[in-house]
Amino acid sequence: DTGVSQNPRHKITKRGQNVTFRCDPISEHNRLYWYRQTLGQGPEFLTYFQNEAQLEKSRLLSDRFSAERPKGSFSTLEIQRTEQGDSAMYLCASSFIGLAYEQYFGPGTRLTVT
Amino acid sequence: GIQVEQSPPDLILQEGANSTLRCNFSDSVNNLQWFHQNPWGQLINLFYIPSGTKQNGRLSATTVATERYSLLYISSSQTTDSGVYFCAVDPSSNAGNMLTFGGGTRLMVKP
């Protein structure tokens, strides 16, 4: 079990550019979650998938944010037309819905928009 | 939505001291987790504890679900315990869905 992995670990982009982050969950975990964490705050939920179905997306911050999990394995989070306010740590987590709901987090992708 | 409050917000300890961190939540929960966020931002799972008491080495946690609070105990603190401790809950109305995090307790352990 290699844990949740995220790539890239760091991303610096210019305002107005599009960025895409990837998350690989723990194998056999059927739920995958995206969170955002700004400096000095706790993580904030964005969206989640069960297998390939996106079950909650109303918390995505704007229509510039979108996420996919096309084959129920890895997921991508895309931010279009980035703004300086998008600078944050983007965290991915996964869990196996069965007897418990414990979520395990990846190391995060730190985004800086200049 | 559910409110999660953690106290104290900041804590400075001398190495070897004990401490208690508190998490209050405003509604019933079916998941409560404690995390330690290291300086690189990684959230490390400490406890999955929607109710009851658990212990892992120098750390232990107790959740009293009927009174809507959880406590994290750190005994004989070490400098490596420094970092931010988060409590996160999943309200009963949204089983297995999103976690709502508290604001964290920032712990510094001095040698």
Side-chain angles (χ1 to χ4, degrees):
Chain A
D1 188 348
T2 57
V4 179
S5 62
Q6 293 187 244
N7 287 288
R9 296 292 307 277
H10 303 274
K11 178 71 177 179
I12 300 174
T13 191
K14 293 186 177 181
R15 188 167 52 122
Q17 298 296 304
N18 299 342
V19 294
T20 300
F21 311 139
R22 176 175 171 133
C23 171
D24 288 86
I26 293 171
S27 59
E28 299 180 355
H29 275 194
N30 50 10
R31 285 206 173 173
L32 186 150
Y33 310 80
W34 286 98
Y35 293 80
R36 183 181 81 155
Q37 185 177 22
T38 54
L39 199 61
Q41 305 296 318
E44 171 189 23
F45 171 81
L46 296 178
T47 187
Y48 86 98
F49 296 84
Q50 179 161 320
N51 300 315
E52 64 275 9
Q54 190 173 11
L55 297 186
E56 173 60 63
K57 57 182 180 179
S58 66
R59 302 296 186 102
L60 287 169
L61 299 163
S62 79
D63 58 7
R64 297 184 297 106
F65 288 71
S66 63
E68 294 183 340
R69 194 182 184 198
K71 297 184 179 180
S73 56
F74 73 91
S75 174
T76 57
L77 177 70
E78 182 182 16
I79 309 174
Q80 296 183 329
R81 305 181 302 280
T82 53
E83 302 173 355
Q84 286 189 321
D86 297 333
S87 295
M89 176 78 90
Y90 291 85
L91 295 164
C92 174
S94 70
S95 69
F96 180 77
I97 296 303
L99 297 178
Y101 304 102
E102 187 170 7
Q103 294 186 24
Y104 296 85
F105 282 77
T109 295
R110 186 171 297 281
L111 173 66
T112 302
V113 182
T114 61
Chain B
I2 193 167
Q3 303 298 311
V4 184
E5 294 184 356
Q6 291 186 241
S7 59
D10 297 281
L11 185 60
I12 300 174
L13 297 176
Q14 208 65 37
E15 197 168 29
N18 303 329
S19 62
T20 301
L21 282 56
R22 187 176 179 103
C23 171
N24 292 332
F25 43 95
S26 62
D27 204 348
S28 302
V29 299
N30 58 36
N31 178 5
L32 187 146
Q33 293 184 240
W34 282 98
F35 298 93
H36 176 212
Q37 189 164 43
N38 67 21
W40 298 271
Q42 174 78 58
L43 283 166
I44 299 165
N45 289 42
L46 298 178
F47 293 102
Y48 169 75
I49 187 166
S51 63
T53 297
K54 291 186 178 180
Q55 181 157 5
N56 184 2
R58 296 182 296 102
L59 303 182
S60 64
T62 295
T63 297
V64 184
T66 53
E67 297 187 20
R68 299 180 182 171
Y69 73 89
S70 184
L71 302 173
L72 177 69
Y73 304 96
I74 304 174
S75 64
S76 303
S77 57
Q78 302 175 357
T79 56
T80 52
D81 295 332
S82 297
V84 184
Y85 289 80
F86 286 106
C87 166
V89 302
D90 176 4
S92 293
S93 59
N94 293 303
N97 297 0
M98 64 182 200
L99 288 175
T100 298
F101 283 75
T105 292
R106 288 153 189 79
L107 173 65
M108 179 184 296
V109 181
K110 294 186 172 181

